[in-house]
Amino acid sequence: MSNREIATAAYLVEQLRQFGVDEIRTDLAGHGVIGVIRGGKPGGKTIALRADMDALPVRETSGVSFASDREVEGPNGTSIPVAHACGHDCHMATVLIAAKALAMFRSELPGTVLCVFQPAEEGAPIGEQGGAQVMIDEGAFAGVEPTMVFGMHVSPLPSGTVAYRSGSQFAASTRVEVIIQGRQTHAAMPWLGIDPMPAAAGVILGAAHLVRRIPAWQPAAVTFGHVEDQGRFNIIGDRIRLEGTIRCAEDADMKRLKTGLHELATGQAQSYGCSADIRFDHEVPAVVNQTGWVESTLPTLRRLVGRERLLVSPPTLGYDDVSALIRRFGGLYVLCGAQDTRWVTDGSGAPAFEPIAGGRGLVPNHHPSFYANDDSLRCGAAIHAHIALDHLYGLIDPSDAKDSGRGRESTTEF
């Protein structure tokens, strides 16, 4: 899991060493790894192919022969299942295969390729730091600063398709912790204590209405996914801890939602004689794909997957801290379809997708049964490699996307 990717990092280093990359940087922002491939031809560009590498506390039920059965020790001797239920194993696999191919042809590369394996994308444990921004802050890219960052995220979209979006591809996000403090007592004598439960319930119910502070055409959500108390069926505990997340498509809306949640939590607590402590951490800005990067990359994507399998993605409130890398260095982040689904349209013409007959179904990321088809990973590896080639050869450049970027294609193939 996040900030605990020790065995994963060791495996990645072993693979990169076998591929013969020129340099391997390790222990970046915890357990991050960068493989450096230096091309044999002169060129001033550096492409970073980014893959996240952490897993989730999920017991896998995908049914594949290689399903994770790993467990780690949790609090108080508990056992926590761990699985790549978001597809980060797929991301590492596609970048590794691209690294292998590019290393074989390094003599033809006019520039540098960075294979970036980033830890803690799902969020470092409370009290710890991690992720893309920490890699930047700690100098992981010293001497090899990218001129473009590229990444893909597998999704339940139809296998072999690629979906992109100009503007906000992924939402801004922050993790929320709310602690409602009361006073413990016996459940049969509530007048001798202060019950934090009603205040916590008010926060959970009220949070859903905070999005009414945001214009309806700007997606946003405030969600609590974890409730933890210290009581028992016959004990009113002294505190309740809520964990949740705020998501918004526009960075500017985050401050308004955070202020609203703070007011809600303190107001609910005071109304029941409690106190509230509200904390925000793991704050991630939105992933914003600039139009120039999108337009200059589209010819490469069309060539690889075909115009009919290249789609504009609908808005999403998912987040990804690749945003820190793209904002710092420039680049593009897209979705890679990986499941047995197909596109459909409703009466409004809005895109949607549904499972196909006889397939493995539509299973969302973070679900225990999440899966990805192998053919989609082959497609993803090829896209990584060709995006790298076309950027190094100057074919992907946002500065000339509107005039000469369209239609130019690399003649190098793997």
Side-chain angles (χ1 to χ4, degrees):
M1 292 192 291
S2 300
N3 275 1
R4 305 293 186 271
E5 309 94 340
I6 299 170
T8 308
Y11 176 83
L12 292 167
V13 169
E14 176 189 359
Q15 295 297 308
L16 292 171
R17 187 174 291 121
Q18 290 181 18
F19 299 161
V21 302
D22 297 287
E23 179 188 351
I24 301 176
R25 301 185 176 190
T26 61
D27 303 322
L28 306 172
H31 304 293
V33 175
I34 295 180
V36 183
I37 303 171
R38 294 186 172 90
K41 292 184 176 182
K45 295 186 182 297
T46 298
I47 177 79
L49 305 176
R50 179 268 198 175
D52 35 17
M53 56 191 286
D54 50 340
L56 289 164
V58 171
R59 187 176 303 282
E60 185 170 353
T61 59
S62 64
V64 297
S65 61
F66 50 87
S68 173
D69 58 4
R70 181 168 175 77
E71 295 187 357
V72 298
E73 185 176 348
N76 303 317
T78 59
S79 182
I80 300 175
V82 183
H84 276 294
C86 195
H88 296 184
D89 51 347
C90 303
H91 304 162
M92 289 183 283
T94 55
V95 172
L96 276 176
I97 295 304
K100 183 176 183 178
L102 292 166
M104 291 171 62
F105 290 90
R106 65 160 57 82
S107 62
E108 301 299 316
L109 301 180
T112 302
V113 178
L114 307 179
C115 302
V116 180
F117 300 95
Q118 179 213 305
E121 187 278 330
E122 296 288 355
I126 292 176
E128 298 182 18
Q129 299 295 316
Q133 187 61 52
V134 178
M135 291 188 78
I136 297 171
D137 295 342
E138 293 185 355
F141 301 95
V144 288
E145 186 166 305
T147 52
M148 178 183 183
V149 175
F150 177 74
M152 300 175 68
H153 202 301
V154 291
S155 77
L157 298 175
S159 191
T161 60
V162 172
Y164 67 93
R165 185 176 187 81
S166 292
S168 182
Q169 175 76 76
F170 284 91
S173 170
T174 187
R175 182 166 55 193
V176 179
E177 181 185 53
V178 178
I179 297 177
I180 307 294
Q181 187 69 47
R183 188 170 68 242
Q184 186 165 320
T185 184
H186 195 290
M189 295 176 282
W191 56 88
L192 297 180
I194 300 176
D195 189 353
M197 194 74 76
V203 173
I204 294 171
L205 291 172
H209 293 272
L210 292 176
V211 296
R212 299 179 70 178
R213 300 188 179 201
I214 307 300
W217 54 86
Q218 294 174 198
V222 183
T223 305
F224 285 99
H226 181 74
V227 180
E228 177 184 310
D229 74 348
Q230 296 180 325
R232 191 171 177 266
F233 78 95
N234 61 351
I235 297 175
I236 293 175
D238 66 344
R239 75 169 196 163
I240 292 179
R241 177 174 169 269
L242 309 176
E243 260 193 296
T245 183
I246 299 175
R247 305 290 175 91
C248 49
E250 302 296 329
D251 286 312
D253 293 331
M254 181 60 75
K255 182 177 181 180
R256 193 180 307 178
L257 291 172
K258 288 168 66 176
T259 298
L261 182 59
H262 193 279
E263 293 171 350
L264 171 67
T266 54
Q268 286 291 317
Q270 289 172 4
S271 67
Y272 290 100
C274 301
S275 62
D277 183 22
I278 303 95
R279 303 170 189 169
F280 304 100
D281 73 342
H282 192 57
E283 300 192 39
V284 176
V287 178
V288 179
N289 286 332
Q290 299 294 336
T291 301
W293 284 111
V294 173
E295 290 186 350
S296 63
T297 306
L298 281 177
T300 304
L301 294 173
R302 290 192 192 106
R303 187 180 75 245
L304 292 170
V305 303
R307 187 181 296 268
E308 72 283 356
R309 301 187 71 77
L310 188 59
L311 310 157
V312 176
S313 63
T316 175
L317 289 177
Y319 84 89
D320 195 305
D321 72 345
V322 72
S323 56
L325 298 172
I326 289 178
R327 285 170 181 249
R328 174 65 178 81
F329 303 115
L332 183 67
Y333 201 60
V334 300
L335 294 174
C336 177
Q339 294 191 358
D340 298 330
T341 59
R342 67 184 185 97
W343 282 98
V344 295
T345 56
D346 57 22
S348 67
F353 52 100
E354 65 182 14
I356 60 176
R360 298 167 68 184
L362 189 163
V363 186
N365 303 69
H366 289 214
H367 190 280
S369 296
F370 180 79
Y371 73 95
N373 291 325
D374 286 349
D375 59 351
S376 68
L377 303 188
R378 297 187 189 97
C379 176
I383 289 172
H384 278 294
H386 281 273
I387 293 289
L389 282 171
D390 284 2
H391 180 64
L392 296 187
Y393 275 96
L395 304 181
I396 296 177
D397 184 345
S399 64
D400 65 350
K402 292 186 180 302
D403 39 46
S404 60
R406 292 181 180 272
R408 295 187 300 170
E409 297 182 358
S410 169
T411 58
T412 307
E413 295 185 359
F414 292 124

